[in-house]
Amino acid sequence: MPFRTTVVTGATSGIGKETALALAKKDHALYLLVRNVDKGEQLKREIIAQTNNRSVFVIHCDLADLQSVQQAADELKGKLMAVNVLVNNAGGINASKQLSKDGNELTFAMNHLGHFLLTMSLMPLLQKGQARIINVSSEAHRMASPHLLNDVQFKQGYSSFKAYALAKLCNIYFAKSLAERYASSGITAYALHPGVVNTGFGSQLGGLGKVLMLLAKPFMITAREGAQTNIYLAGEAKLNPKLSGQYFKKGKPAKPTLAAQNTSARNRLWQISEQLTNNFLH
Ligand SMILES: NC(=O)c1ccc[n+]([C@@H]2O[C@H](COP(=O)([O-])OP(=O)(O)OC[C@H]3O[C@@H](n4cnc5c(N)ncnc54)[C@H](OP(=O)(O)O)[C@@H]3O)[C@@H](O)[C@H]2O)c1
């Protein structure tokens, strides 16, 4: 595999951390976009100690703050000519309705909107690198329907799980739209479900959600196991370009819901995302 420049979000914990470690072992140059720089620097030391790969760089990026995302993208554009792999992995579920710094519903902001702005801001580098873009989605998308796009801010009817399900549906829509819109420049894009993985995921939940997470822990796979589809899509030397736009599980294409295959809904998401990030796209 030729030398690859790879950007990973959410690498400071769980699936993202195992993805970063494995890709460092495969000699990728890694740019870790983190909201907590101390955690990022600690991870960088761990990666260098474990892999001897010294091409590891930490950049501050809070995906729930569009200005921070734009600054991270600008920093990358100042340092790099091309990006070969972008792993949009950061995300999670929130205990209650909260707003991002920009006033967007937090789950939508941190799982989708921040990644939309990051990806679109990095597009010139991604095109030069004929990049693979990987969106970490979830089987939770099965609980979302496209009509939730009528109210991405959850002005009405918020629940933690509904907001998370919509955000993970958006990850699938976004991958499919990227695959379609940028195929001619050699870009491929994928969404994936990592499995039910024992990570920090859900640690913010209280009440019944917390109890359910604790009960499920013994049946969960490890973060290393949960990172395998990420590692496959990011690290495999050759992938059939016909698989671009697909949803993966356990390293193989899988069928998402019918709702996830709704073309007008994903075009609508694109429009909504452009509108909400318009002030930052230049
Ligand atoms: N675990 C599962 O069973 C499961 C199943 C399906 C899908 N997923 C998806 O897998 C992905 C990784 O989750 P995980 O299970 O590895 O959970 P995790 O251990 O909680 O890791 C989440 C990562 O996202 C980062 N993050 C969260 N909000 C951020 C923000 N606003 N800006 C920048 N970084 C942010 C966290 O940073 P900090 O270290 O600073 O907190 C952390 O590095 C998520 O997209 C999740 O939805 C997980």
Side-chain angles (χ1 to χ4, degrees):
M1 146 122 5
F3 178 78
R4 319 224 91 200
T5 298
T6 294
V7 176
V8 185
T9 70
T12 43
S13 174
I15 296 161
K17 180 173 177 178
E18 293 299 332
T19 301
L21 270 163
L23 297 179
K25 284 183 191 149
K26 289 176 182 280
D27 289 332
H28 288 226
L30 282 181
Y31 288 79
L32 309 174
L33 267 50
V34 302
R35 65 174 166 181
N36 180 331
V37 172
D38 289 343
K39 258 174 121 174
E41 290 296 342
Q42 169 60 34
L43 173 63
K44 174 179 166 172
R45 288 191 287 276
E46 249 179 274
I47 293 176
I48 293 173
Q50 282 192 40
T51 68
N52 226 5
N53 180 345
R54 306 193 78 79
S55 298
V56 184
F57 309 93
V58 175
I59 292 180
H60 179 256
C61 178
D62 180 350
L63 286 151
D65 173 354
L66 295 175
Q67 196 178 354
S68 164
V69 174
Q70 188 193 39
Q71 279 167 359
D74 284 347
E75 198 175 328
L76 285 166
K77 284 192 267 191
K79 286 184 190 329
L80 297 172
M81 298 295 290
V83 169
N84 307 110
V85 181
L86 169 61
V87 188
N88 288 325
N89 163 80
I93 187 166
N94 297 297
S96 58
K97 186 174 167 185
Q98 296 169 59
L99 298 184
S100 72
K101 190 150 184 220
D102 311 279
N104 296 305
E105 191 283 311
L106 183 61
T107 319
F108 181 73
M110 68 198 246
N111 286 275
H112 167 68
L113 203 59
H115 285 127
F116 179 86
L117 178 61
L118 177 67
T119 307
M120 297 315 289
S121 301
L122 292 179
M123 196 45 82
L125 298 190
L126 294 165
Q127 286 176 313
K128 280 204 192 101
Q130 303 210 321
R132 290 180 193 169
I133 303 168
I134 297 154
N135 289 351
V136 180
S137 175
S138 168
E139 283 289 90
H141 83 272
R142 296 192 182 277
M143 296 184 333
S145 86
H147 86 267
L148 291 175
L149 288 174
N150 293 333
D151 182 20
V152 294
Q153 307 293 2
F154 280 93
K155 292 198 173 109
Q156 287 177 332
Y158 177 88
S159 89
S160 301
F161 288 98
K162 226 197 273 183
Y164 182 66
L166 172 64
K168 294 290 126 180
L169 178 63
C170 291
N171 295 151
I172 298 177
Y173 284 153
F174 184 36
K176 183 82 180 161
S177 291
L178 285 167
E180 200 174 85
R181 289 170 190 244
Y182 292 97
S184 60
S185 46
I187 283 184
T188 52
Y190 311 87
L192 66 90
H193 170 62
V196 181
V197 193
N198 191 358
T199 63
F201 178 83
S203 56
Q204 302 85 346
L205 292 175
L208 181 62
K210 188 174 193 159
V211 174
L212 290 175
M213 288 302 297
L214 285 173
L215 287 173
K217 286 266 175 203
F219 305 100
M220 291 178 176
I221 59 174
T222 64
R224 186 166 297 174
E225 289 166 327
Q228 291 311 307
T229 304
N230 262 351
I231 297 163
Y232 169 69
L233 291 171
E236 191 69 9
K238 280 211 167 100
L239 288 175
N240 183 346
K242 285 189 183 144
L243 297 177
S244 183
Q246 295 214 31
Y247 174 67
F248 277 68
K249 265 164 66 174
K250 294 187 179 169
K252 295 199 175 82
K255 259 208 181 318
T257 54
L258 273 180
Q261 299 168 55
N262 182 323
T263 307
S264 61
R266 79 179 153 78
N267 288 337
R268 177 107 195 281
L269 173 69
W270 192 280
Q271 256 177 3
I272 294 168
S273 309
E274 270 185 340
Q275 274 163 11
L276 291 171
T277 55
N278 196 27
N279 289 343
F280 298 90
L281 281 170
H282 51 230

